[in-house]
Amino acid sequence: MNRLFSTLIYQSYRVWSGLMRRCKTCIHQRVAVGYCFAHQVRFNPEKIHFYGKTDLSFHPGSKVVLGDGFICRSGRVSGAIDHHVMSIMEVLPGAELAIGNHSGISNTCIHCHQSITIGEYVNIGAGTMIFDTDFHRLYWKDRQEGTDIIKRKCKPVVIKDYAFIGANCLILKGSTIGVHSVVGAGSVVCCDIPDNEIWAGNPAVFIKKTDINTKQP
């Protein structure tokens, strides 16, 4: 009797949890889509998906494009690997963020102060951070005088079509990741990665070529 009762409680909990997740997903999707409408983002509301609460901050004067099939997973949702953070996208005035068709991010932090371009069919792993700025100047006197933020350096970041970025990577300003290229988990990228190559490490270094015509193991 106790076993049957416990089973019923467990099954009821699973049904209730499933319903709550679906309700939250629907709410988060509508909130994110409404925010994109309010900030004049170029997108098709029926062809992008936000799973979980996403921190969006698109400042006036910024330009944001989200391609068809874009998927953003955030927080503790089905399919998200890292349950400790949420996806964050901040685009400052005058900056441009463009994400191509059928690309996806999972608990990813994007800070765009000048220009970040993500191509089509790009997958970005959980915990990855993408910055096109240093946020502060490196010269100590600027930091002392409080002018380091104004004088910060910015350089565009470009992630080309079909690139794959592993979990917990750091993509720094001025970096370009080539078509079909792969960045290993936990890597720090501060350079240009050519097409069809695998890079990993801190700082990321060349590992080997990818063969786009052969099925990889």
Side-chain angles (χ1 to χ4, degrees):
M1 184 68 179
N2 288 336
R3 184 177 180 180
L4 177 61
F5 181 73
S6 297
T7 302
L8 289 173
I9 292 295
Y10 175 68
Q11 293 296 338
S12 298
Y13 170 77
R14 289 193 62 184
V15 171
W16 174 254
S17 296
L19 289 173
M20 288 300 295
R21 281 196 299 271
R22 284 193 286 272
C23 287
K24 287 182 179 179
T25 297
C26 182
I27 291 172
H28 292 148
Q29 170 76 3
R30 291 180 179 275
V31 169
V33 167
Y35 184 92
C36 290
F37 270 125
H39 290 78
Q40 299 179 332
V41 174
R42 287 177 52 193
F43 75 114
N44 184 335
E46 297 180 357
K47 293 186 178 181
I48 65 170
H49 302 281
F50 290 89
Y51 298 101
K53 183 180 179 181
T54 305
D55 186 351
L56 301 176
S57 183
F58 302 149
H59 293 249
S62 64
K63 295 181 180 180
V64 180
V65 179
L66 303 178
D68 293 349
F70 168 65
I71 295 177
C72 176
R73 298 186 184 278
S74 186
R76 300 188 61 183
V77 297
S78 175
I81 300 171
D82 186 347
H83 288 173
H84 302 290
V85 296
M86 69 169 66
S87 287
I88 298 171
M89 290 190 282
E90 181 173 19
V91 187
L92 296 191
E96 298 184 11
L97 170 65
I99 301 178
N101 298 332
H102 307 291
S103 290
I105 65 176
S106 180
N107 289 327
T108 297
C109 177
I110 299 174
H111 277 273
C112 180
H113 290 213
Q114 185 182 93
S115 175
I116 295 177
T117 303
I118 299 172
E120 298 185 348
Y121 294 94
V122 173
N123 290 329
I124 299 177
T128 291
M129 295 184 288
I130 304 173
F131 307 141
D132 66 351
T133 178
D134 287 334
F135 293 99
H136 300 270
R137 282 275 288 175
L138 301 183
Y139 183 44
W140 67 269
K141 194 170 183 63
D142 289 332
R143 296 198 300 274
Q144 180 190 47
E145 294 174 351
T147 60
D148 57 314
I149 296 178
I150 298 173
K151 295 178 180 179
R152 71 192 186 283
K153 288 186 177 181
C154 301
K155 290 183 181 179
V157 171
V158 178
I159 302 173
K160 297 183 180 181
D161 298 346
Y162 300 98
F164 177 78
I165 300 173
N168 294 313
C169 289
L170 183 58
I171 313 300
L172 298 177
K173 75 177 196 304
S175 300
T176 296
I177 299 172
V179 178
H180 301 122
S181 287
V182 178
V183 178
S187 298
V188 177
V189 179
C190 53
C191 60
D192 291 345
I193 296 177
D195 298 346
N196 308 313
E197 293 188 359
I198 299 175
W199 286 52
N202 180 8
V205 296
F206 172 75
I207 303 298
K208 65 178 183 179
K209 286 278 189 179
T210 61
D211 189 345
I212 62 174
N213 297 316
T214 304
K215 184 178 180 181
Q216 298 293 308

